[in-house]
PDB file of all heavy atoms in Angstrom:
ATOM      1  N   ALA A  69       2.199 -41.660 -16.718  1.00 93.00           N
ATOM      2  CA  ALA A  69       2.387 -40.287 -16.245  1.00 93.00           C
ATOM      3  C   ALA A  69       1.965 -40.159 -14.784  1.00 93.00           C
ATOM      4  O   ALA A  69       0.931 -40.671 -14.375  1.00 93.00           O
ATOM      5  CB  ALA A  69       1.596 -39.325 -17.115  1.00 93.00           C
ATOM      6  N   ASN A 114      19.782 -35.905 -25.715  1.00 96.00           N
ATOM      7  CA  ASN A 114      20.433 -36.736 -26.713  1.00 96.00           C
ATOM      8  C   ASN A 114      19.504 -37.266 -27.799  1.00 96.00           C
ATOM      9  O   ASN A 114      19.944 -37.995 -28.696  1.00 96.00           O
ATOM     10  CB  ASN A 114      21.134 -37.922 -26.025  1.00 96.00           C
ATOM     11  CG  ASN A 114      22.177 -37.446 -25.018  1.00 96.00           C
ATOM     12  OD1 ASN A 114      23.147 -36.810 -25.382  1.00 96.00           O
ATOM     13  ND2 ASN A 114      21.958 -37.762 -23.742  1.00 96.00           N
ATOM     14  N   GLY A 125      -0.572 -20.490 -20.411  1.00 92.00           N
ATOM     15  CA  GLY A 125      -1.267 -19.318 -20.926  1.00 92.00           C
ATOM     16  C   GLY A 125      -0.615 -18.845 -22.213  1.00 92.00           C
ATOM     17  O   GLY A 125       0.611 -18.883 -22.340  1.00 92.00           O
ATOM     18  N   SER A 139       9.209  -4.168 -25.129  1.00 95.00           N
ATOM     19  CA  SER A 139      10.586  -3.937 -24.732  1.00 95.00           C
ATOM     20  C   SER A 139      10.643  -3.161 -23.418  1.00 95.00           C
ATOM     21  O   SER A 139      11.570  -3.356 -22.597  1.00 95.00           O
ATOM     22  CB  SER A 139      11.331  -3.173 -25.816  1.00 95.00           C
ATOM     23  OG  SER A 139      12.684  -2.986 -25.466  1.00 95.00           O
ATOM     24  N   SER A 155      12.114 -14.087 -21.299  1.00 97.00           N
ATOM     25  CA  SER A 155      12.243 -12.724 -20.809  1.00 97.00           C
ATOM     26  C   SER A 155      11.474 -12.592 -19.512  1.00 97.00           C
ATOM     27  O   SER A 155      10.464 -13.283 -19.294  1.00 97.00           O
ATOM     28  CB  SER A 155      11.705 -11.717 -21.832  1.00 97.00           C
ATOM     29  OG  SER A 155      12.477 -11.735 -23.009  1.00 97.00           O
ATOM     30  N   ASN A 161       9.326  -0.978  -9.856  1.00 85.00           N
ATOM     31  CA  ASN A 161      10.499  -0.850  -9.009  1.00 85.00           C
ATOM     32  C   ASN A 161      11.635  -1.795  -9.407  1.00 85.00           C
ATOM     33  O   ASN A 161      12.652  -1.872  -8.707  1.00 85.00           O
ATOM     34  CB  ASN A 161      10.145  -1.079  -7.535  1.00 85.00           C
ATOM     35  CG  ASN A 161       9.316   0.069  -6.974  1.00 85.00           C
ATOM     36  OD1 ASN A 161       9.421   1.207  -7.433  1.00 85.00           O
ATOM     37  ND2 ASN A 161       8.481  -0.229  -5.999  1.00 85.00           N
ATOM     38  N   SER A 209      -8.881 -20.587 -27.778  1.00 62.00           N
ATOM     39  CA  SER A 209      -9.065 -20.844 -29.200  1.00 62.00           C
ATOM     40  C   SER A 209      -8.620 -22.237 -29.602  1.00 62.00           C
ATOM     41  O   SER A 209      -8.895 -22.702 -30.701  1.00 62.00           O
ATOM     42  CB  SER A 209      -8.297 -19.799 -30.031  1.00 62.00           C
ATOM     43  OG  SER A 209      -6.901 -19.943 -29.860  1.00 62.00           O
TER      44      SER A 209
END
Side-chain angles (χ1 to χ4, degrees):
N114 300 298
S139 182
S155 296
N161 290 332
S209 66

